[in-house]
Structures are given as C-alpha cells and as structure tokens.
Amino acid sequence: ISVIMIDEAHERSISTDILLGLLKKIQRRRPELRLIISSATIEARSMSTFFSNRRKNSLLKPADGLPNPEPAILSVEGRGYTVETHYLEEPVSDYLQAAVNTVLIIHEKEPPGDILVFLTGQDDIDAALKLLNDEIQHL
C-alpha cells in the first residue's frame, strides 16, 4: 500500500482519532506512505501540523536520504445549495417505501431539481432504486 485516503475526516469519533494517530505512527516508519485526508469542513492547517514529519532535535531522514516533504493543503471550492429537511411526524413500518413515496411526491409537486435521500448502505440504496423503478413503471 502506498496511498491511504481518509474521507469525511471532520466526522470525529474515538475510532477516527485512533486511526489518524496510528497512521501518523505508521508514516514515521514508512515515510513513503502518502496519506490523503479529505473533509469539507476540517481545519486543514491543524491537520497538516499534526501530520508534519518534522521532529525536534532529530536528523532522521527517509531511506532515500531526502527530507520528508511537508504536507500539502489543496483546497477545492465547493458550491452551496439551499436544502430543505423533511421529517415524518410518526414512525413508519417500511422506511424505504416511505422514502420512495416522499421522493415521488416531491417530484410531482415541486419544480425540477435534485432530491437527496440518505440511506444506511448499498443494500438499502439498491432496494430503494428497485422500488422507485417499480413505482415509475406503474405511472
């Protein structure tokens, strides 16, 4: 492995903090290992400082004799969109069917636009797509 990417690094938990600490420790032994830490909202300078390989009072260099490069910070300008959040007032027995029904209602009643539905995993996504395709076929 020569590159490890951590996405959504701003979603902090004890597990992600331990992971980042272990990666920093591994990177000291494997300076050729490249880490890509991505996040929409994380404080990039703090993360860069955390992963900086400079050690006080140390002349250690990687095996190739070259100094360790400083972490690079790349910033990609994103776009913001207005988001409306809708909640159900009562629990439902089949949340996937309820999500599909809600998508269809929004699609019928609102002007053209994107509809974002958060689901728990690939199985739910596949099942929701099947339900949505079935509903569209009946229309």
Side-chain angles (χ1 to χ4, degrees):
I1 297 173
S2 60
V3 178
I4 296 175
M5 180 172 183
I6 306 296
D7 193 15
E8 303 293 340
H10 60 276
E11 293 185 10
R12 303 278 307 273
S13 71
I14 189 71
S15 298
T16 56
D17 286 356
I18 289 171
L19 174 65
L20 292 172
L22 287 172
L23 287 172
K24 180 178 179 174
K25 189 174 183 178
I26 290 167
Q27 198 176 37
R28 284 186 184 143
R29 290 182 179 235
R30 294 208 31 223
E32 76 283 359
L33 176 66
R34 297 295 175 236
L35 299 177
I36 300 171
I37 312 294
S38 66
S39 168
T41 59
I42 203 162
E43 174 52 50
R45 185 69 52 209
S46 296
M47 189 63 69
S48 176
T49 300
F50 177 75
F51 278 102
S52 176
N53 286 324
R54 285 186 282 171
R55 296 184 198 166
K56 292 181 180 177
N57 304 320
S58 175
L59 298 175
L60 294 177
K61 293 183 180 179
D64 62 9
L66 299 173
N68 288 323
E70 288 300 311
I73 297 175
L74 302 175
S75 179
V76 177
E77 196 63 36
R79 289 181 252 166
Y81 296 95
T82 303
V83 174
E84 293 180 36
T85 305
H86 299 271
Y87 298 96
L88 293 174
E89 293 181 14
E90 298 291 327
V92 294
S93 60
D94 186 347
Y95 74 93
L96 284 177
Q97 186 64 58
V100 168
N101 292 344
T102 303
V103 165
L104 292 170
I105 291 168
I106 293 170
H107 180 69
E108 286 176 12
K109 296 187 177 189
E110 297 294 326
D114 297 319
I115 302 170
L116 177 63
V117 178
F118 287 97
L119 299 171
T120 59
Q122 190 63 49
D123 290 340
D124 280 351
I125 293 168
D126 292 340
L129 285 172
K130 183 178 181 332
L131 287 170
L132 189 57
N133 283 327
D134 290 349
E135 291 290 336
I136 289 171
Q137 294 300 321
H138 289 105
L139 298 176

